[in-house]
Amino acid sequence: MFTSIKRFLIGRPLKSTELGEQKLNKTKALAILSSDALSSVAYGPEQILIVLITVGAAAFWYSIPIAVGVLILLLALVLSYRQIIFAYPHGGGAYVVSKENLGIYPGLIAGGSLLVDYILTVAVSVSAGTDAITSAFPSMHPYNVIIAIVFILFITTLNLRGVTESASVLAYPVYLFIFALFILIGVGVYNILTGQIPPDLHTPVGTPVAGISLFLLLKAFSSGSSALTGVEAISNAIPNFKDSAPHNAAKTLIAMGSLLAVLFSGIVFLAYYYGVSPREEVTVVSQIAEQTFGRHFMYFFIQGTTALILILAANTGYSAFPLLAVNLARDRFIPRMFTVRGDRLGYSNGIIILGFLSILLIIAFEGRTEHLIPLYAVGVFIPFTLSQSGMVVKWVREKPKGWLPKLIINSIGALISLTVSMMFFLTKFSQVWPVLVFLPLIIYLFHRIKKHYVAVGNQLSLSTCEPAVQIEGNIIILPVAGITHVVENSLNYAKSLSAHQIIAVYVPFEREDEAIFEAKWNKWQPEVRLVTLHSPYRSIINPLSKFIDTVQRKAGEANFQVTVVIPQFIPKKGWHNILHNQSSLLIRAHLLYRRNVIVTTVPYHLKE
Amino acid sequence: MFTSIKRFLIGRPLKSTELGEQKLNKTKALAILSSDALSSVAYGPEQILIVLITVGAAAFWYSIPIAVGVLILLLALVLSYRQIIFAYPHGGGAYVVSKENLGIYPGLIAGGSLLVDYILTVAVSVSAGTDAITSAFPSMHPYNVIIAIVFILFITTLNLRGVTESASVLAYPVYLFIFALFILIGVGVYNILTGQIPPDLHTPVGTPVAGISLFLLLKAFSSGSSALTGVEAISNAIPNFKDSAPHNAAKTLIAMGSLLAVLFSGIVFLAYYYGVSPREEVTVVSQIAEQTFGRHFMYFFIQGTTALILILAANTGYSAFPLLAVNLARDRFIPRMFTVRGDRLGYSNGIIILGFLSILLIIAFEGRTEHLIPLYAVGVFIPFTLSQSGMVVKWVREKPKGWLPKLIINSIGALISLTVSMMFFLTKFSQVWPVLVFLPLIIYLFHRIKKHYVAVGNQLSLSTCEPAVQIEGNIIILPVAGITHVVENSLNYAKSLSAHQIIAVYVPFEREDEAIFEAKWNKWQPEVRLVTLHSPYRSIINPLSKFIDTVQRKAGEANFQVTVVIPQFIPKKGWHNILHNQSSLLIRAHLLYRRNVIVTTVPYHLKE
């Protein structure tokens, strides 16, 4: 049942050798890895205007220089990450770069913040997309959280089916969105050039504005640069590309950067020229679309594809999170299960946990995750800064051919990223302070996990641990609950093991019962020693454990091993289990976890 | 940790021999076994008026003859159950009486409806009590469900502590309630006799009323007789009494019947004389109290004790349900676990399951369980009828000394109970029909469980089952995941068992891995045969199961037994478990439940 539902949802299992077919070509990779970055166009320009409106609409012209700043930052990031791709072709992005060049803790800071960031990406973008849909159909508004969860489950399932399949599905909406925005920008610019838009809707660039301050401009810039989150995703996901992966990844990165630059500057320019002012209920893109096309087909087309890409931006998280987790798990900072490939060769544990955690976030914030945006932006710029600095260190240390221009590019990238990170802390401290709490926590956790794995490794390795004790003989303890076929079966098995001694143990709750059972036993199996342990408190485990301890102490002196043979009958149907006090399960768990005893379970399958 | 919390909540474990001290004297028994019956006084009279008001306040005088009818029914029930107590001094009440005299199916009908009924009792009375509290403090109204659940958890814990302790706590509110109502009735009657109440508030008995019908009167009568639920509880709980239990139980029953008669007729009479009309927001008892005392201390005292006794009425369910369950479980109609005494000698499984199911009911009905009252009343009158009929059959069959008056009493009891049951179906079918669905379902379930136990008994018994196969030798399969200390340990153990053959099994996911491991193994343990099972789909269980099947087929021909020895390392702390892919647990469960293989777990306790 479970298997066939699973088959239906995620498809037949794939052989490990089919991994190559699960790789992405550039078109598909662009679709699934850039949805996060491109979707930021839907809210990035608006974030700038929201800051500027606090001093008045006259300040809107500042969005043009700010956008230029964002574009420069984008250029620096794309060039820097292009270098990272070639330098670290196995992916891992900021985590690997920082770890190798700056040391383990900077690496963990980068890895930890990205890990949390991808969860935020999924939660924030799915809630934003759901909001976009429910503002179109207000009657669905009360079901926001449920709709968002359904979307996450859908994207999770799609990703469990494998990277190529999700790419095939997701490519359409991404390219439709790009197409829609290109038409919007094209028609908008054409209208302006042909003079159909009155030029007095905006204040000219350079108009002096009362009340403007450097602090405000920095705040607007850092808000605008939240549109650059997602740029690093490609560098994490290089192993998903077709060969030669680094070249394909680099080309995809350049394509994404160019698209992002065109769309971002186009929207900012149109918003400025149209004199669009940010409004609570209607997004800036929606206002531009309405002014350009009216409430016609193209308007709804743009709205629809925007909502879709906001939801699909989550998919970038799904592509990058599992691969980053693999890198962290290989270094033993997070549980090993993240390195296991699932039926469809994706790292399914990472995918499932990402889905689970983002659903938790959405439930915890009741779908209103907007104020997590600054948190998630700062969580990206910290690893940006660390990875660029790592590259700077690398170039200085290794000095390969033509290292100077590379050094300059990464230095500029590092400097701007650092500045943006600082600006977030300076201008939006009230929203980004949780980073200062959870980053140390996560790194402490990483540290504890690593310590445990190292300790386990030492204890298991044949070279470092104490030598195994030789076993000279066996003593078998057989707890019996009655004189039944199950007991006979287990006793036969115990006898076949040529043990040194077999002790049957019976735990009666009443004194009368004790004598009756002893008599019966001695008639049935006179040659097997029976020990009865009267239990006035009606516990089976306590007297049994004490008895085993005693036997074990004596056995240990002679290098004898104690084995407890537990008869367990297994009903034909699962629900029958509640009809039997499965004390054998309890006894087994207790003995294994609390005492150092070998436990043998002899199953007895019921036929009816 | 768990143990000390448990100790704190329910106290230290008691020895089986301390059972005698857990018995109840009459005062305490009256408190905990009559709370259900006595609390009905708080709503029984009201139920009569609610039916009568449909033809107008002039019809209220009919409440007097109806109350007389209810009192006659009460008398018949008390006398009949008194006879049941002496005839069946080991308790079990309606179930045992019906089973022994009428046959197994009537017994199961009685037992099944009482079992469900006690769950309804708990849910209905706790919700009613919570309602009484939150109508006094309306700001708490939104938390109704949570408050009700807290009360159930409290009563459950109290009952887990043992019968005597819960009786000590619960005796106070019960006697306070009786005391409060006695004062109310006394002062009310005094006021009437001294002429302080105008005699024109009520229509005289015998006034002709237009629109009154036999159907309506029957409906009012059946509503009023819902005040008699709980009368049977004492006959179920005889084993909880001090010696000689039947005599004490009988005396307690008479005391309860008398109290119930006085309180019920007092409230009906005052309500009639004061001309109280049932109102949505204020209960009849509350109106009487207000007219008698004004909104003074005594009014609030009566309100408070009423709320308390409504909640504590649940306790009757807790006293009777576990004992009824023991009887059903001994006859193997419900899981055997209900017969196990807990640390404090109560039948803790019954107590816990009763609490759990009534919490579920409250959550499902969001605390509005009022319309379950008729359902629960009919669920009592069906067993009433069956047990009285059973007694009739018993007297006719056995004809002991002085059987005729006994026969007459039980015949009258049976007849009236049958009439009331029929009235419920006739007058309130829309509310009681679920009985017709769930009773057959429950009896079918009882039947299935019994069938399973009988089948298991036959399969386990040495006399009826096929003889056990002799074991000629052992083949040990040892799944290995690497060359570690854990594997070395398990291998040493396997070698000590003087098995016929030991086969180590390794499941590599990659072809390269296979060759490397084989080479390593042959260097380390050249004398132990290694089988590698390449698993292209990265499953360990599937190839392993197939291999075990093959080995088992061959081994079976030579009467060899196959044992799988699974190394399992046990981390020092519980949370460490998620850091390890505990495949050994999965493999073990799969092999035990799906295949007929003996599984030996060799624990390896990590020290760090």
Side-chain angles (χ1 to χ4, degrees), chain A residues 342 453 459-460 485 498 563 579, chain B residues 453 460 485 498 538 579 607:
Chain A
Y453 276 129
Q459 287 173 80
L460 298 191
H485 199 48
S498 56
T563 303
L579 300 181
Chain B
Y453 276 129
L460 298 191
H485 198 49
S498 56
R538 300 165 308 287
L579 299 180
K607 287 183 195 72

Side-chain angles (χ1 to χ4, degrees), chain B residues 181 184-189 192 265-276 288 292:
Chain B
L181 282 203
L184 175 64
I185 293 168
V187 173
V189 171
I192 291 172
S265 43
I267 296 295
V268 169
F269 174 70
L270 288 184
Y272 160 68
Y273 203 90
Y274 285 9
V276 167
I288 297 175
T292 310

Side-chain angles (χ1 to χ4, degrees), chain B residues 14 22 25 42 54-55 60 71 88 103 122-123 135 185 193 234 301 319 377 402 454 459 472 499-500 570:
Chain B
L14 296 176
Q22 284 289 309
N25 63 26
T54 54
V55 284
F60 281 172
L71 288 179
Y88 294 93
V122 174
S135 7
I185 293 168
L193 292 180
I234 290 177
F301 181 64
S319 311
V454 171
Q459 287 172 81
E472 308 285 345
H500 186 78
I570 290 164

Side-chain angles (χ1 to χ4, degrees), chain B residues 421-441:
Chain B
S421 311
M422 307 275 284
M423 280 183 221
F424 274 110
F425 280 104
L426 283 175
T427 60
K428 303 190 171 183
F429 188 76
S430 65
Q431 287 168 293
V432 301
W433 65 266
V435 169
L436 300 178
V437 178
F438 71 69
L439 261 187
L441 265 180

Side-chain angles (χ1 to χ4, degrees), chain B residues 409-579:
Chain B
I409 289 173
N410 284 126
S411 302
I412 295 174
L415 214 67
I416 307 187
S417 302
L418 179 67
T419 317
V420 176
S421 311
M422 307 275 284
M423 280 183 221
F424 274 110
F425 280 104
L426 283 175
T427 60
K428 303 190 171 183
F429 188 76
S430 65
Q431 287 168 293
V432 301
W433 65 266
V435 169
L436 300 178
V437 178
F438 71 69
L439 261 187
L441 265 180
I442 287 173
I443 287 162
Y444 173 72
L445 194 65
F446 285 166
H447 186 72
R448 284 292 302 273
I449 292 175
K450 172 87 173 191
K451 210 177 132 196
H452 171 76
Y453 276 129
V454 171
V456 169
N458 285 339
Q459 287 172 81
L460 298 191
S461 143
L462 289 176
S463 51
T464 54
C465 68
E466 9 178 333
V469 181
Q470 285 308 310
I471 302 171
E472 308 285 345
N474 281 286
I475 293 175
I476 291 178
I477 295 176
L478 178 74
V480 297
I483 294 179
T484 63
H485 198 49
V486 184
V487 172
E488 191 187 19
N489 227 23
S490 317
L491 201 54
N492 279 351
Y493 177 70
K495 284 174 183 169
S496 82
L497 293 179
S498 56
H500 186 78
Q501 196 183 11
I502 299 174
I503 309 172
V505 178
Y506 181 67
V507 183
F509 295 165
E510 314 280 348
R511 282 280 172 209
E512 311 90 76
D513 189 19
E514 196 170 346
I516 296 171
F517 191 83
E518 274 172 357
K520 269 200 213 165
W521 183 271
N522 290 331
K523 215 171 135 194
W524 184 50
Q525 296 277 358
E527 79 283 11
V528 177
R529 187 181 154 201
L530 175 76
V531 172
T532 53
L533 307 166
H534 177 239
S535 172
Y537 293 101
R538 300 165 308 287
S539 157
I540 294 178
I541 289 178
N542 288 345
L544 191 60
S545 301
K546 272 183 207 147
F547 177 72
I548 289 171
D549 287 348
T550 318
V551 174
Q552 208 164 24
R553 216 173 305 122
K554 280 188 202 154
E557 290 163 13
N559 274 346
F560 278 21
Q561 176 66 51
V562 177
T563 304
V564 179
V565 173
I566 298 181
Q568 180 174 358
F569 61 92
I570 290 164
K572 209 178 159 204
K573 290 183 184 152
W575 71 270
H576 288 161
N577 275 314
I578 61 159
L579 299 180

Side-chain angles (χ1 to χ4, degrees), chain B residues 163-367:
Chain B
V163 174
T164 29
E165 288 214 34
S166 58
S168 314
V169 174
L170 302 181
Y172 296 102
V174 174
Y175 284 110
L176 279 181
F177 172 75
I178 296 172
F179 177 67
L181 282 203
F182 263 108
I183 294 185
L184 175 64
I185 293 168
V187 173
V189 171
Y190 175 82
N191 286 351
I192 291 172
L193 292 180
T194 54
Q196 293 176 45
I197 309 291
D200 54 355
L201 290 172
H202 59 274
T203 45
V205 171
T207 315
V209 182
I212 203 86
S213 66
L214 183 65
F215 181 80
L216 196 89
L217 291 177
L218 287 177
K219 195 170 173 183
F221 176 63
S222 66
S223 294
S225 48
S226 67
L228 303 184
T229 56
V231 166
E232 84 299 342
I234 290 177
S235 71
N236 275 315
I238 309 174
N240 278 346
F241 280 86
K242 280 220 164 93
D243 287 338
S244 73
H247 283 98
N248 286 327
K251 282 182 190 157
T252 310
L253 178 66
I254 302 290
M256 177 181 82
S258 317
L259 284 172
L260 185 55
V262 172
L263 299 181
F264 184 79
S265 43
I267 296 295
V268 169
F269 174 70
L270 288 184
Y272 160 68
Y273 203 90
Y274 285 9
V276 167
S277 191
R279 269 153 59 190
E280 182 79 28
E281 335 78 70
V282 195
T283 64
V284 166
V285 172
S286 162
Q287 292 186 53
I288 297 175
E290 196 172 354
Q291 288 203 31
T292 310
F293 300 109
R295 283 200 165 246
H296 287 304
F297 169 75
M298 268 311 289
Y299 170 77
F300 292 105
F301 181 64
I302 287 168
Q303 286 298 90
T305 51
T306 308
L308 264 181
I309 202 162
L310 280 172
I311 292 173
L312 297 182
N315 203 68
T316 303
Y318 279 92
S319 311
F321 180 96
L323 287 169
L324 174 60
V326 168
N327 276 295
L328 282 163
R330 282 209 188 114
D331 291 343
R332 301 194 285 182
F333 288 113
I334 60 174
R336 220 166 33 179
M337 59 173 163
F338 287 103
T339 61
V340 180
R341 284 185 191 270
D343 276 358
R344 302 284 289 184
L345 296 168
Y347 293 105
S348 32
N349 288 325
I351 294 170
I352 291 167
I353 283 178
L354 174 63
F356 177 73
L357 292 177
S358 41
I359 286 177
L360 280 193
L361 259 188
I362 285 187
I363 292 173
F365 285 88
E366 294 180 339

